[in-house]
Amino acid sequence: MKTVKLGWHNIIYFLNLHMQTLNLHPQYVKGEHNEPLGVFLTVTEFQSILDDLEELEDIKAADAFESRKHKEFVPFRQALDEIKNGLVK
């Protein structure tokens, strides 16, 4: 499974942009002391979240590109490898 690492500004932007389109009906699992243990979502809801996270990852990659745009040229394959390996902040 793919791990997605995102900055808070990206997450806030993403949530503001997509919150109205998300139609989630989570069911919470709680422990014996009423502490939250987990959440159940339908497969459709879960897939929707994964799709949105992929979109957010694309936004992050575009942001990383824009921030380096005037600094130096990096070959496309190298840039992809750096993004994939988490070397781009």
Side-chain angles (χ1 to χ4, degrees), residues 58-72 79 83 88-89:
D58 292 343
I59 292 169
K60 181 182 176 186
D63 287 348
F65 172 77
E66 284 296 320
S67 71
R68 292 175 58 168
K69 193 173 181 179
H70 302 290
K71 293 181 183 177
E72 64 183 86
I83 292 168
V88 176
K89 295 180 182 178

Side-chain angles (χ1 to χ4, degrees), residues 48-65:
S48 173
I49 290 171
L50 290 180
D51 292 344
D52 287 345
L53 285 173
E54 284 184 29
E55 181 180 340
L56 186 54
E57 193 173 54
D58 292 343
I59 292 169
K60 181 182 176 186
D63 287 348
F65 172 77

Side-chain angles (χ1 to χ4, degrees), residues 8-22:
W8 282 108
H9 67 282
N10 295 106
I11 293 170
I12 291 169
Y13 170 78
F14 172 77
L15 288 175
N16 287 334
L17 188 63
H18 293 286
M19 187 58 77
Q20 295 168 346
T21 63
L22 295 176

